[in-house]
């Protein structure tokens, strides 16, 4: 697969400036309808979570979308509290939750547990993963873990300005195809790519884009065997759970929080979410809205 | 349902044995493998590292064994020097506007309206003057300091500071990330205490919380700057005065850092013993600071927020001061009673009763210590021609005249130095104390965090005073 002819397209965020395309029928054109609502989060239609490694510009993206000025700084781990803000797009209101920056979701620290619990049990309509384009490999570790939990994901391929400075070319379409979710190149510090990001967020939230998330291949036979055995059992008890494979892995790994959730049936709430997203996806497919 | 869930867990238990102990590693390995594969396909590197690697060069310089600390010291020094020198002019301008022009104007208006004397005194001479003083003294240095500090932060220098300090913190038995919470403390201790949340281990976090107060917060360094200018800068020739003042303020700030290490060391070897936890500190790439945006956000977010807090505390404190100076009990005012009561203790530690009373009044906000000291000094010494009456906070338009007031109050170089020390080492302000309680949810640790530095302050100033008196033979 890796030997395939690669299509190299350098993405300079300015190129995607909607005003320069002049395409009024293009959905991106509506990006001018972004209303930053600051802390006004009443009556939201959708919840979006903002996840990502530390120091990838998550807070900057948060500020660019909400118009808030949460303090940003160039050092890892400076967001210590969960910040919330709102924005309105195409007459729908979004509540945006900025999660603490983490390298993984294995819940080995408080930060990771907060982020993980919100993505899993908070059931956001969209999870935006902010990714450092200059450190793609390490950042993808988190992305793959998020994709195991939910397919309602948009990747903000951030710090594209840095990537350019480091002479990195990133084929974001290839990335989107491999990951199975929308990837939007951004440079939040300079407010570039934000329109396209909002557009992608709204499409996933409204079910117009349905992801086909990449699943990690566990190449150890005995591991694979154990996971599929357990998945069967989980699906018997929770037939409609969307992320049985991930739950199985967590239980096998001895994740106390998840084991507790299985024991007291909290895991059941995940089923309703899956039912909803599947329905929305179907409707969207029928109306031919999917791009 | 219940049976089903128990069965799942049972199966999992059995399967876990089959897979073997390195389950976690296998999962991580698979994730890393796929991440690498996907990233490799998407990323192409141009011009394989032929160009000069600027980031690497800067990193080698600022984290080098020999140059790391001198560069850190020079940067800190530069920031303080710019602040001290740059703040003079706008400070004078603001104070002449708010104190020399607006205050008499307000007094005139209130006299015209026939406002009763005590209301006029309470509001205008008490509340208004305290507030105006805080604004004119604090706003300019903060408006310079915060943007400079934020620029350094935006550039990516702070994690390098943490990197440099890491092994010292480790030797002190504390967490390396404490360097970051300490640096935040230089802005505001309450913010510094909150930022200790980045430390996962409760033991190391508690050490970071208890020692954060030793980071000289910005509410205290107007005091440091003024005293350094008056007592230390004035001893040097005029062209060196700014430099000497900046040096002594940096000296106090570094003493604070030293105390942070020492107290962390002592705590981690006594009441807070335990394992060191490892962590990875990522050195982020340097980024060109966004100058205009930094100026804007640091002015709005930090400067105005901190200033507002000071104002909110200064106004009621001004009222209290005015009242205590005008409530006569027996022969003298309440303030003088207090001063006389605390004076023996103050003199013992090289300070005086006035300063201790000022710190009592200033628990809500360290910012108003100096104006309170000036007002109370005039009150007790009764010098004529200076000040405007009991309970009136004022600012003297030249440092020379402030110096006169201090001398009349019996101040010496020792008083100045010990005031700088005490300002560094005393209880945190009430906001920080409350924040510590919020973060620890423990009355015991809050009390420790409050009384430990206060006790240390008394001990240290006491010894300095004894040594001083011994050597100077006074």
């Amino acid at each position: 697969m890796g030997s395939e002819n690669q299509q190299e397209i350098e993405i300079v965020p300015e190129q995607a400036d909607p005003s320069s395309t002049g395409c009024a029928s293009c959905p991106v054109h509506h990006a001018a309808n972004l209303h930053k609502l600051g802390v006004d989060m009443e009556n939201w239609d959708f919840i979006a979570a903002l996840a990502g490694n530390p120091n990838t510009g998550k807070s900057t993206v948060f500020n660019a979308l909400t118009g808030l000025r949460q303090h940003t700084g160039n050092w890892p781990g400076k967001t210590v509290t969960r910040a919330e803000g709102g924005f309105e797009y195409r007459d729908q209101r979004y509540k945006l939750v900025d999660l603490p920056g983490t390298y993984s979701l294995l819940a080995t620290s408080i930060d990771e547990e907060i982020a993980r619990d919100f993505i899993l049990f908070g059931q956001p309509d969209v999870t935006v993963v902010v990714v450092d384009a200059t450190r793609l490999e390490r950042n993808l570790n988190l992305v793959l873990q998020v994709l195991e939990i939910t397919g309602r994901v948009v990747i903000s391929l951030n710090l594209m300005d840095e990537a350019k400075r480091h002479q990195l070319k990133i084929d974001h379409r290839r990335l989107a195809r491999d990951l199975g979710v929308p990837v939007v190149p951004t440079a939040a510090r300079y407010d570039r790519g934000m329109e396209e990001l909002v557009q992608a967020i709204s499409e996933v939230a409204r079910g117009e884009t349905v992801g086909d998330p990449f699943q990690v291949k566990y190449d150890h036979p005995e591991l694979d065997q154990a996971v599929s055995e357990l998945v069967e059992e989980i699906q018997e008890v929770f037939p409609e759970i969307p992320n049985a494979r991930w739950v199985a892995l967590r239980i096998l790994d001895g994740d106390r929080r998840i084991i507790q959730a299985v024991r007291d049936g909290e895991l059941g709430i995940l089923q309703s979410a899956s039912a909803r997203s599947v329905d929305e996806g179907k409707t969207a497919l029928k109306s031919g809205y999917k791009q | 349902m219940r049976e089903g869930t128990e069965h799942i867990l049972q199966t999992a238990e059995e399967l876990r044995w089959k897979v073997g102990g390195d389950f976690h590693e296998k999962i991580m390995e698979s994730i890393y493998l796929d991440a690498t594969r996907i990233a490799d396909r998407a990323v192409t590197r141009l011009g394989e590292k032929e160009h000069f690697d600027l980031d690497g060069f800067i990193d080698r310089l600022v984290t080098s064994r020999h140059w790391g600390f001198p560069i850190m010291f020079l940067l800190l020094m530069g920031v303080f020097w710019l602040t001290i020198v740059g703040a003079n002019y706008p400070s004078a301008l603001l104070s002449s506007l708010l104190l020399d022009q607006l205050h008499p104007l307000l007094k005139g208006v209130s006299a015209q309206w026939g406002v009763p004397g005590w209301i006029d005194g309470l509001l205008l001479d008490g509340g208004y003057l305290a507030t105006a003083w805080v604004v004119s003294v604090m706003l300019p240095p903060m408006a310079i300091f915060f943007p400079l500090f934020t620029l350094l932060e935006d550039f990516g220098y702070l994690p390098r500071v943490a990197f440099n300090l890491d092994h010292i913190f480790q030797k002190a038995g504390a967490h390396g990330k404490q360097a970051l919470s300490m640096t935040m403390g230089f802005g505001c201790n309450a913010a510094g205490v909150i930022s200790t949340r980045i430390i996962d281990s409760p033991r190391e976090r508690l050490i970071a919380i208890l020692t954060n107060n030793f980071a000289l917060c910005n509410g205290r360094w107007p005091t440091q700057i003024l005293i350094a200018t008056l007592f230390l800068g004035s001893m040097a020739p005029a062209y060196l005065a700014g430099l000497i003042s900046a040096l002594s303020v940096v000296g106090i700030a570094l003493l604070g850092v030293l105390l942070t290490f020492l107290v962390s060391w002592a705590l981690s070897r006594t009441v807070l013993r335990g394992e060191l936890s490892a962590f990875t500190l990522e050195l982020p790439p340097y980024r060109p600071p966004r100058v205009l945006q930094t100026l804007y956000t640091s002015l709005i977010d930090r400067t105005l927020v901190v200033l507002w807090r000071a104002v909110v505390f200064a106004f009621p404190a001004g009222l209290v001061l005015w009242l205590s100076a005008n409530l006569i009990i027996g022969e003298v005012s309440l303030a003088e009673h207090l001063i006389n009561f605390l004076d023996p203790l103050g003199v013992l530690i090289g300070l005086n009763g006035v300063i201790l009373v000022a710190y009592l009044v200033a628990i809500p906000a360290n910012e108003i210590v100096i104006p309170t000291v000036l007002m109370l000094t005039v009150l007790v010494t009764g010098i004529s021609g200076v000040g405007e009456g009991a309970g009136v906070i004022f600012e003297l338009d030249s440092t020379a005249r402030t110096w006169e007031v201090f001398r009349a109050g019996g101040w010496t170089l020792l008083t100045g130095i010990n005031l700088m020390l005490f300002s560094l080492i005393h209880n945190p302000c009430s906001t920080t104390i409350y924040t510590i309680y919020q973060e620890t949810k423990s009355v015991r640790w809050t009390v420790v965090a409050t009384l430990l530095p206060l006790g240390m302050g008394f001990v240290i100033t006491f010894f300095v005073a004894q040594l001083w008196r011994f050597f100077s033979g006074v």
Side-chain angles (χ1 to χ4, degrees):
Chain A
M1 255 185 105
S3 62
E4 258 179 46
N5 234 357
Q6 286 188 17
Q7 192 189 357
E8 296 299 351
I9 300 164
E10 190 188 359
I11 300 304
V12 182
E14 304 101 298
Q15 285 175 349
D17 187 344
S19 60
S20 66
T21 62
C23 170
S25 60
C26 171
V28 167
H29 182 74
H30 298 294
N33 300 336
L34 169 66
H35 296 295
K36 301 172 180 185
L37 297 176
V39 288
D40 173 15
M41 293 169 285
E42 304 259 298
N43 306 320
W44 36 267
D45 299 300
F46 298 114
I47 297 184
L50 206 54
N53 281 17
N55 210 47
T56 52
K58 231 160 34 69
S59 302
T60 316
V61 171
F62 178 83
N63 291 346
L65 290 177
T66 59
L68 289 173
R69 287 184 308 271
Q70 192 192 16
H71 176 61
T72 60
N74 185 6
W75 48 285
K78 59 116 218 100
T79 307
V80 285
T81 41
R82 206 178 75 181
E84 300 183 352
F87 65 87
E88 190 180 306
Y89 180 67
R90 290 207 275 175
D91 297 327
Q92 277 171 318
R93 293 164 79 90
Y94 293 76
K95 179 167 145 183
L96 188 64
V97 181
D98 191 11
L99 301 174
T102 57
Y103 294 103
S104 87
L105 292 180
L106 298 174
T108 52
S109 74
I110 301 168
D111 282 356
E112 290 182 7
E113 203 174 315
I114 292 174
R116 204 270 310 273
D117 283 0
F118 191 82
I119 296 174
L120 184 66
F121 297 110
Q123 297 172 19
D125 297 287
V126 190
T127 301
V128 182
V129 188
V130 183
V131 158
D132 180 349
T134 64
R135 288 159 170 73
L136 192 57
E137 184 181 329
R138 199 187 50 209
N139 280 252
L140 282 181
N141 290 321
L142 177 71
V143 173
L144 295 183
Q145 291 178 44
V146 174
L147 288 181
E148 292 196 304
I149 300 180
T150 169
R152 306 177 73 106
V153 171
V154 173
I155 308 292
S156 159
L157 188 60
N158 200 27
L159 303 177
M160 284 302 282
D161 50 320
E162 288 289 317
K164 199 181 168 192
R165 193 162 76 81
H166 287 102
Q167 304 202 295
L168 290 174
K169 269 189 178 180
I170 297 166
D171 184 352
H172 76 284
R173 293 171 198 218
R174 168 101 230 178
L175 197 60
R177 219 179 312 148
D178 281 349
L179 294 175
V181 291
V183 174
V184 184
T186 55
R189 272 160 66 84
Y190 304 101
D191 217 17
R192 289 183 206 143
M194 288 299 116
E195 290 92 346
E196 292 79 356
L197 184 63
V198 182
Q199 173 67 24
I201 292 172
S202 92
E203 283 176 7
V204 172
R206 294 157 66 117
E208 295 166 6
T209 301
V210 178
D212 172 23
F214 175 89
Q215 296 297 307
V216 176
K217 289 157 209 60
Y218 294 100
D219 280 339
H220 301 273
E222 66 276 36
L223 187 77
D224 221 33
Q225 177 66 28
V227 169
S228 27
E229 255 180 69
L230 200 59
V231 164
E232 260 175 48
E233 292 224 8
I234 292 172
Q235 277 170 342
E236 246 169 62
V237 185
F238 305 100
E240 278 179 85
I241 197 164
N243 29 32
R245 218 171 78 101
W246 183 83
V247 172
L249 277 165
R250 297 318 307 144
I251 297 174
L252 284 172
D253 202 10
D255 191 317
R256 273 187 220 151
R257 175 80 173 83
I258 302 300
I259 291 175
Q260 191 54 42
V262 170
R263 187 161 282 146
D264 56 24
E266 190 186 352
L267 213 55
I269 65 164
L270 299 181
Q271 302 192 79
S272 54
S274 85
R276 188 190 52 183
S277 69
V278 167
D279 282 350
E280 280 174 13
K282 276 182 196 154
T283 336
L285 280 171
K286 266 183 213 156
S287 64
Y289 218 158
K290 188 175 184 262
Q291 294 188 311
Chain B
M1 175 91 175
R2 173 127 222 109
E3 278 166 37
T5 54
E6 282 310 318
H7 196 251
I8 292 176
L9 299 177
Q10 231 166 40
T11 316
E13 195 62 39
E14 288 159 19
L15 288 170
R16 212 172 287 150
W17 286 105
K18 272 194 225 162
V19 178
D22 51 351
F23 185 86
H24 193 77
E25 284 67 34
K26 278 178 186 158
I27 294 181
M28 288 313 292
E29 198 187 302
S30 302
I31 294 176
Y32 272 72
L33 218 66
D34 279 336
T36 312
R37 210 150 38 202
I38 295 175
D40 277 351
R41 275 208 293 261
V43 182
T44 328
R45 215 168 274 272
L46 292 182
E48 292 295 318
K49 281 273 172 188
E50 279 166 11
H51 59 285
F52 175 61
D53 180 9
L54 186 63
D55 281 21
F57 175 76
I58 300 178
D59 262 347
R60 274 193 296 279
L61 197 67
V62 300
T63 61
S64 97
R65 196 177 289 265
H66 301 292
W67 294 104
F69 277 92
I71 288 175
M72 217 160 69
F73 176 77
L74 281 178
L75 278 175
L76 197 63
M77 182 71 203
V79 167
F80 279 120
W81 185 77
L82 282 173
T83 308
I84 290 171
V85 173
N88 277 337
Y89 180 72
S91 240
L93 197 75
L94 270 177
S95 82
S96 87
L97 188 75
L98 294 176
L99 300 162
D100 301 343
Q101 289 177 20
L102 200 55
H103 182 244
L105 200 75
L106 288 173
K107 293 287 274 186
V109 170
S110 96
Q112 241 174 13
W113 288 357
V115 177
W118 69 272
I119 295 185
D120 169 273
L122 188 65
L123 291 181
L124 293 179
D125 298 338
Y128 171 79
L129 276 186
T131 315
W133 210 94
V134 164
V135 170
S136 65
V137 168
M138 283 187 64
L139 181 59
M142 284 197 315
I144 299 174
F145 177 79
F146 278 137
L148 286 176
F149 195 78
T150 316
L151 280 176
L152 276 184
E153 189 182 334
D154 205 31
F155 176 59
Y157 184 66
L158 283 196
R160 273 80 189 178
V161 170
F163 182 87
N164 283 338
L165 297 178
D166 175 47
H167 71 277
I168 307 184
F169 274 110
Q170 207 164 28
K171 273 191 194 139
H175 197 287
K177 280 188 190 167
Q178 194 178 327
L180 289 173
S181 65
M182 183 184 77
T183 326
M184 285 296 277
F186 280 114
C188 168
N189 291 132
V193 167
I194 292 176
S195 75
T196 59
R197 290 183 190 169
I198 56 176
I199 300 169
D200 291 326
S201 131
R203 178 188 77 87
E204 288 161 333
R205 185 161 171 224
L206 204 50
I207 293 180
I209 290 177
L210 292 181
T211 56
N212 195 274
N213 187 45
F214 295 119
L216 190 68
C217 79
N218 103 94
R220 287 182 275 173
W221 55 265
T223 311
Q224 299 287 356
I225 290 171
L226 184 72
I227 300 298
T229 315
L230 284 181
F231 287 87
L232 299 162
S234 64
M235 295 195 310
Y239 66 97
L240 279 178
L243 193 69
I244 297 289
S245 315
L247 261 175
S248 35
V249 176
V250 172
I252 287 286
L254 289 180
L255 178 67
V257 176
L258 186 73
L259 284 172
T260 304
F261 290 137
L262 287 178
V263 174
S264 301
W265 181 83
L267 285 172
S268 71
R269 263 155 196 74
T270 52
V271 279
L272 289 170
R273 238 175 316 207
E275 291 280 305
L276 273 183
S277 60
F279 75 106
T280 39
L281 179 70
E282 183 188 352
L283 292 185
Y286 292 101
R287 293 179 190 150
R290 296 158 297 171
V291 177
L292 287 179
Q293 196 171 341
T294 303
L295 280 179
Y296 177 78
T297 47
S298 59
L299 277 179
I300 300 294
D301 288 358
R302 291 190 170 175
T303 312
L304 290 187
V305 166
V306 175
L307 188 71
W308 175 243
R309 199 181 76 81
V311 165
V312 166
F313 282 115
F315 193 83
L319 300 184
V320 169
L321 259 182
W322 190 87
L323 278 179
S324 70
N326 285 279
L327 266 182
I328 310 292
I329 301 168
E331 290 286 298
V332 291
S333 68
L334 178 64
E336 278 170 282
H337 276 299
L338 260 176
I339 292 169
N340 292 336
F341 175 72
L342 287 173
D343 208 46
L345 177 66
V347 170
L348 188 69
I349 61 172
L351 299 171
N352 55 44
V354 168
I355 296 175
L356 292 184
V357 171
Y359 269 98
L360 219 55
V361 176
I363 287 178
N366 281 298
E367 292 83 356
I368 51 174
V369 165
I370 287 295
T372 311
V373 163
L374 284 178
M375 192 275 289
L376 292 176
T377 306
V378 173
L379 181 74
V380 284
T381 52
I383 16 176
S384 56
V386 200
E388 290 154 50
V392 183
I393 291 191
F394 57 90
E395 198 238 13
L396 297 160
D397 34 23
S398 75
T399 43
R401 289 184 57 202
T402 315
W403 183 222
E404 271 173 36
V405 174
F406 281 149
R407 248 202 332 231
W411 285 49
T412 61
L413 187 56
L414 170 68
T415 325
I417 291 175
N418 267 1
L419 176 57
M420 286 177 81
L421 285 172
F422 193 72
S423 159
L424 173 71
I425 319 161
H426 71 285
N427 54 292
C429 71
S430 55
T431 312
T432 307
I433 296 176
Y434 180 68
T435 311
I436 293 173
Y437 176 70
Q438 284 289 309
E439 294 296 313
T440 58
K441 293 281 175 220
S442 146
V443 176
R444 192 166 67 108
W445 287 116
T446 310
V447 169
V448 171
T450 309
L451 296 185
L452 179 77
L454 188 63
M456 285 176 61
F458 278 120
V459 171
I460 289 174
T461 47
F462 173 79
F463 276 109
V464 170
Q466 299 318 307
L467 284 174
W468 183 279
R469 285 171 186 147
F470 179 78
F471 284 110
S472 64
V474 179

